[in-house]
């Protein structure tokens, strides 16, 4: 097998697939290595919410940029990617959360993201199955949903049609000069990109990435029951900001008419088994917001592992210690959204192109451990 690749990407989740496509399109001789099935990691477990998030300016810049890249592709996406601009409604339970609605509205509006404050009545009209008495919400109409595994497979097959090579195998080690597979073969490409999601620390133990387990449940078909991606505003308090186990109301309408129900977050859980207590808590939270959900049939539950960094931003760019080793990982709960922006920023850096947004906030060198121990 030829070993003179410019770039070899390890991991064919949605991030690796998007990076392979962008590299191949830029004329780089590209290969992608996957030990399992394309899009079978966290990508297969993800919710597929394409969302502009504002935990930090850097998070907003990457999510919004990426969301616009998805919107650009909208007409090209095959039907099985099930892309729909459903919009998000950030649901406010009370007046305290309405303060957050107004803050969010001001933030998005200042950055030209269309959004609209809904009062209690407008919220009830937009989503009649929400419980009565909620205070209101923020509608962000350009947010959307898609089905992540088919999106990854589509990106990967486009990469192949642009000349990318696919190698099946498990990378066991990455060094300054290249990497080796479990079968003993070794490769010395110009650049090795680690895009192995939550498994990235297996290839570089100094990475500050932790597995953050998530549960999801999907119902039978109830078309029209939910119209937008609905997320409780308490989500920001309960699911994002703390290190303890948490659940939050987060439901998504699927093109099939099913309702995808999330979400949970846990550190320290390494096995893929369903935690019944966690599922129970997650469904109970969903029923607090949509009481009739209790009458709906859940047909499947599953788990997946997000790759969490301490500052909730991904690692995109070269390693400090190993010049030929690059990263495209650590996307936590936003990797479906940010896959396209990640791929652009990666290739912009490789080729010295001017990026559409600054890439510095996502450089792996911002994390001190590489510096401290270098
Ligand atoms: C419950 C849940 C809900 C989520 N909801 C959303 C959402 O609504 N919106 C959103 O944007 N994101 C969401 N996410 C996050 C999103 O799913 C991830 O950020 C994204 O899928 C990460 O993609 P990835 O390509 O980096 O990793 P993965 O999809 O995990 O892919 C990594 C790949 O690398 C392969 N691999 C690992 N080690 C090796 C090795 N040594 N050699 C070869 N191959 C290897 C694996 O087999 C795997 O296929 C959610 C995640 C979870 C768990």
């Amino acid at each position: 097998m030829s070993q003179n690749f410019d770039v070899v990407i390890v991991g064919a989740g949605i991030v690796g697939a998007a990076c392979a496509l962008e590299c191949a399109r830029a004329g780089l001789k590209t290969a992608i290595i996957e030990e399992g099935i394309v899009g079978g990691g966290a990508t297969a477990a993800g919710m597929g919410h394409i969302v502009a998030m504002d935990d930090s300016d850097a998070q907003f810049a990457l999510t919004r940029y990426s969301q616009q890249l998805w919107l650009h592709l909208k007409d090209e996406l095959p039907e099985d990617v099930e892309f729909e601009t459903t919009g998000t409604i950030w649901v406010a339970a009370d007046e305290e959360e309405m303060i957050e609605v107004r803050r969010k509205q001001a933030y998005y509006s200042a950055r030209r993201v269309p959004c609209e404050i809904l009062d209690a009545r407008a919220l009830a009209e937009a989503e009649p199955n929400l419980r009565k008495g909620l205070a209101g919400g923020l509608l962000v109409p350009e947010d959307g949903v898609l089905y992540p595994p088919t999106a990854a497979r589509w990106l990967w097959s486009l990469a192949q049609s642009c000349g990318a090579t696919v190698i099946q195998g498990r990378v066991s080690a990455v060094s300054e000069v290249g990497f080796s597979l479990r079968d003993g073969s070794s490769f010395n490409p110009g650049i090795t990109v680690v895009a192995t999601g939550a498994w990235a620390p297996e290839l570089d133990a100094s990475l500050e990435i932790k597995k953050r387990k998530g549960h999801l449940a999907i119902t039978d078909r109830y078309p029209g029951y939910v119209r937008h991606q609905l997320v409780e505003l308490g989500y920001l308090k309960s699911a994002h900001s703390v290190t303890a186990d948490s659940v939050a109301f987060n439901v998504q309408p699927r093109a099939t008419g099913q309702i995808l129900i999330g979400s949970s977050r846990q550190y320290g859980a390494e096995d893929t088994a369903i935690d019944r207590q966690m599922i129970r808590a997650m469904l109970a939270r969903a029923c607090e917001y949509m009481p009739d959900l209790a009458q709906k049939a859940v047909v499947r539950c599953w788990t997946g592992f997000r790759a969490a960094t301490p500052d909730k931003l991904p690692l995109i760019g070269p390693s400090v210690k190993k010049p030929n080793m690059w990263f495209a990982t650590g996307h936590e709960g936003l990797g479906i959204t940010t896959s396209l922006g990640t791929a652009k920023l990666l290739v912009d850096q490789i080729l010295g192109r001017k990026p559409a947004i600054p890439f510095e906030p996502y450089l792996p060198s911002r994390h001190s451990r590489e510096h401290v121990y270098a």
Side-chain angles (χ1 to χ4, degrees):
M1 191 178 297
S2 164
Q3 298 194 13
N4 59 343
F5 295 107
D6 298 317
V7 181
V8 175
I9 291 148
V10 188
I14 197 161
V15 172
C19 291
L21 173 58
E22 199 61 32
C23 287
R25 269 197 177 139
L28 296 166
K29 193 155 184 245
T30 304
I32 185 163
I33 301 193
E34 170 58 51
E35 66 163 326
I37 56 168
V38 174
T43 298
M47 217 176 186
H49 186 199
I50 304 298
V51 54
M53 282 286 288
D54 65 334
D55 275 4
S56 63
D57 289 344
Q59 187 192 65
F60 172 79
L62 184 60
T63 52
R64 178 64 173 158
Y65 172 45
S66 301
Q67 181 191 57
Q68 286 175 320
L69 293 170
W70 281 114
L71 287 169
H72 232 74
L73 279 182
K74 196 170 175 232
D75 297 333
E76 272 178 61
L77 295 170
E79 212 169 305
D80 67 1
V81 173
E82 298 177 4
F83 185 94
E84 280 184 66
T85 34
T86 54
T88 303
I89 299 180
W90 295 92
V91 179
D94 52 31
E95 275 315 308
E96 190 194 342
E97 290 182 2
M98 283 306 284
I99 296 171
E100 176 60 10
V101 162
R102 287 187 278 276
R103 187 208 60 80
K104 231 172 157 47
Q105 189 264 346
Y107 186 92
Y108 287 151
S109 299
R111 289 158 184 81
R112 280 180 270 146
V113 180
C115 60
E116 183 190 337
I117 293 183
L118 307 178
D119 62 15
R121 199 170 136 188
L123 177 66
E125 274 167 20
E127 290 289 346
N129 291 307
L130 280 170
R131 77 162 189 258
K132 306 290 168 256
L134 292 164
L138 184 72
L139 170 64
V140 187
E142 288 187 358
D143 286 352
V145 304
L146 55 69
Y147 186 52
T150 51
R153 278 200 287 278
W154 181 72
L155 292 166
W156 169 76
S157 63
L158 274 186
Q160 279 183 289
S161 61
C162 292
T165 302
V166 176
I167 302 168
Q168 184 87 30
R170 179 178 175 80
V171 171
S172 51
V174 183
S175 69
E176 282 81 8
V177 288
F179 62 90
S180 46
L181 294 183
R182 196 158 52 181
D183 67 9
S185 53
S186 59
F187 291 74
N188 300 320
I191 287 174
T192 303
V193 180
V194 174
T196 52
W199 295 272
E202 289 177 11
L203 299 178
D204 183 336
S206 73
L207 287 178
E208 290 193 82
I209 290 181
K210 282 192 197 161
K211 288 198 179 87
R212 207 169 186 195
K213 186 173 176 178
H215 287 72
L216 293 177
I218 195 158
T219 68
D220 207 341
R221 294 166 192 247
Y222 304 101
Y225 184 82
V226 179
R227 301 167 181 173
H228 306 81
Q229 175 98 26
L230 299 178
V231 192
E232 65 165 290
L233 262 171
Y235 186 77
L236 303 172
K237 290 182 255 171
S238 66
H240 267 302
S241 326
V242 293
T243 49
D245 294 357
S246 61
V247 295
F249 169 66
N250 184 350
V251 302
Q252 179 180 103
R254 296 300 319 158
T256 52
Q258 292 169 285
I259 307 160
L260 183 51
I261 305 172
S263 65
S264 73
R265 276 174 154 81
Q266 279 171 285
Y267 283 116
E270 290 282 328
D271 66 285
T272 55
I274 303 272
D275 178 334
R276 283 175 183 277
Q277 248 181 306
M278 192 53 74
I279 280 280
R280 220 175 282 131
M282 191 180 88
L283 294 177
R285 187 72 179 160
C287 292
E288 275 177 42
Y289 279 80
M290 298 194 108
D292 288 353
L293 267 182
Q295 313 306 320
K296 309 286 180 233
V298 168
V299 294
R300 195 164 80 85
C301 300
W302 64 90
T303 64
F305 293 102
R306 306 174 183 92
T309 61
D311 61 4
K312 301 189 205 164
L313 293 175
L315 309 179
I316 308 167
S319 155
V320 175
K321 289 183 303 185
K322 300 176 187 165
N324 291 359
M325 182 180 188
W326 288 52
F327 299 108
T329 184
H331 295 78
E332 224 267 347
L334 291 167
I336 310 299
T337 303
T338 57
S339 53
L340 299 185
T342 296
K344 290 268 186 216
L345 292 187
L346 182 87
V347 178
D348 290 343
Q349 289 180 71
I350 293 173
L351 297 181
R353 291 189 313 212
K354 187 173 160 31
I357 60 168
F359 55 71
E360 287 79 3
Y362 323 105
L363 286 176
S365 57
R366 74 183 187 278
H367 282 175
S368 54
R369 258 168 45 177
E370 278 203 316
H371 283 309
V372 172
Y373 297 118

